[in-house]
Amino acid sequence: MGRCVIELELIEPPEQVRLPPGVRLLRGFSLPWEAALLADINRVVAAAPFRHMITPGGQRMSAAMTNCGSVGWISDRSGYRYASLDPHTGQPWPALPGSFSTLARRAAEAAGFVGFAPDACLINRYAPGTRMSLHQDRDEQDLNAPIVSASLGLPAVFLLGGLERSARPVRLPLAHGDVIVWGGPARMIFHGVAPIVAGLHSGLGRQRINLTLRRACPT
Ligand code: SIN
Ligand code: FE2
């Protein structure tokens, strides 16, 4: 029985993978905002540079990260949490750009989550070879809001697991412009990113940038 399931996944083209309730893959959804998103990423990074955070266990995270919004997600020896100041600059994080919040609200709406008002965006930068291990987004206080995740630059394979860490993840290829939304019954799914394959993207060069838009503080 288990064997049949595995074979079906292998022969099924990615577009036809059945996504669990609460997960939507919106192909090319961010492309209308592409120029504004890239300019706004540059503005955020100029004020709050990418850095490699340290996990509570003392490991250097392989994706470089920064944030914008009223709070930003950080990790250090004392744990994972949201903070209103960037520990690197001592300043508040740059404001959430309008392009980010509009994209997030529209993508959430398209996935059936109306009224999404993100207050935080984690920006991850992946060089070739960089991966993100399976995890849940669980540091937000408002778990009713969905997560909107926008992929830019080099392609990636998104690992979409289940509500238990042990579930075998489905591999979803993501291209520049694709957006994934998960919420409701899928809000606590495990997810990750397979190692990025080396390549050159016309707009972003040798990197993948992912925007994860979230509601961290209660509305
Ligand atoms: C994340 O879960 O923080 C990032 C996911 C991604 O890069 O697609
Ligand atoms: Fe995540």
Side-chain angles (χ1 to χ4, degrees), residues 122 124 126 132 135 137 149 158 191 193 208 210 212 214:
L122 173 66
N124 291 349
Y126 300 77
M132 172 81 60
H135 65 278
D137 288 4
S149 179
F158 190 79
H191 58 281
V193 180
R208 169 177 184 258
N210 188 77
T212 309
R214 302 165 171 155

Side-chain angles (χ1 to χ4, degrees), residues 101-130:
S101 35
T102 304
L103 164 67
R105 184 170 36 84
R106 299 266 185 88
E109 242 165 53
F113 301 99
V114 288
F116 179 45
D119 59 357
C121 180
L122 173 66
I123 309 179
N124 291 349
R125 185 187 67 195
Y126 300 77
T130 303

Side-chain angles (χ1 to χ4, degrees), residues 160-186:
L160 181 68
L163 294 171
E164 306 288 336
R165 187 182 285 280
S166 55
R168 183 172 173 271
V170 171
R171 297 171 66 88
L172 290 180
L174 294 183
H176 175 76
D178 291 351
V179 176
I180 306 192
V181 181
W182 63 93

Side-chain angles (χ1 to χ4, degrees), residues 22-176:
V23 183
R24 276 295 282 281
L25 170 51
L26 304 165
R27 294 271 181 217
F29 194 87
S30 76
L31 293 177
W33 291 276
E34 179 181 23
L37 292 173
L38 297 186
D40 286 332
I41 290 169
N42 286 336
R43 265 193 286 274
V44 169
V45 171
F50 280 117
R51 80 291 308 263
H52 292 273
M53 297 187 195
I54 304 294
T55 67
Q59 305 273 354
R60 176 183 187 266
M61 297 185 80
S62 73
M65 297 177 176
T66 187
N67 290 278
C68 52
S70 52
V71 289
W73 185 86
I74 60 169
S75 173
D76 60 19
R77 280 293 198 166
S78 38
Y80 302 127
R81 62 197 178 280
Y82 281 90
S84 51
L85 296 183
D86 174 353
H88 186 84
T89 63
Q91 298 298 311
W93 299 99
L96 201 62
S99 63
F100 288 25
S101 35
T102 304
L103 164 67
R105 184 170 36 84
R106 299 266 185 88
E109 242 165 53
F113 301 99
V114 288
F116 179 45
D119 59 357
C121 180
L122 173 66
I123 309 179
N124 291 349
R125 185 187 67 195
Y126 300 77
T130 303
R131 60 194 284 277
M132 172 81 60
S133 53
L134 278 186
H135 65 278
Q136 293 168 303
D137 288 4
R138 55 183 321 148
D139 303 314
E140 298 71 31
Q141 292 177 50
D142 184 351
L143 296 177
N144 294 313
I147 303 284
V148 173
S149 179
S151 199
L152 297 165
L154 286 180
V157 173
F158 190 79
L159 306 172
L160 181 68
L163 294 171
E164 306 288 336
R165 187 182 285 280
S166 55
R168 183 172 173 271
V170 171
R171 297 171 66 88
L172 290 180
L174 294 183
H176 175 76

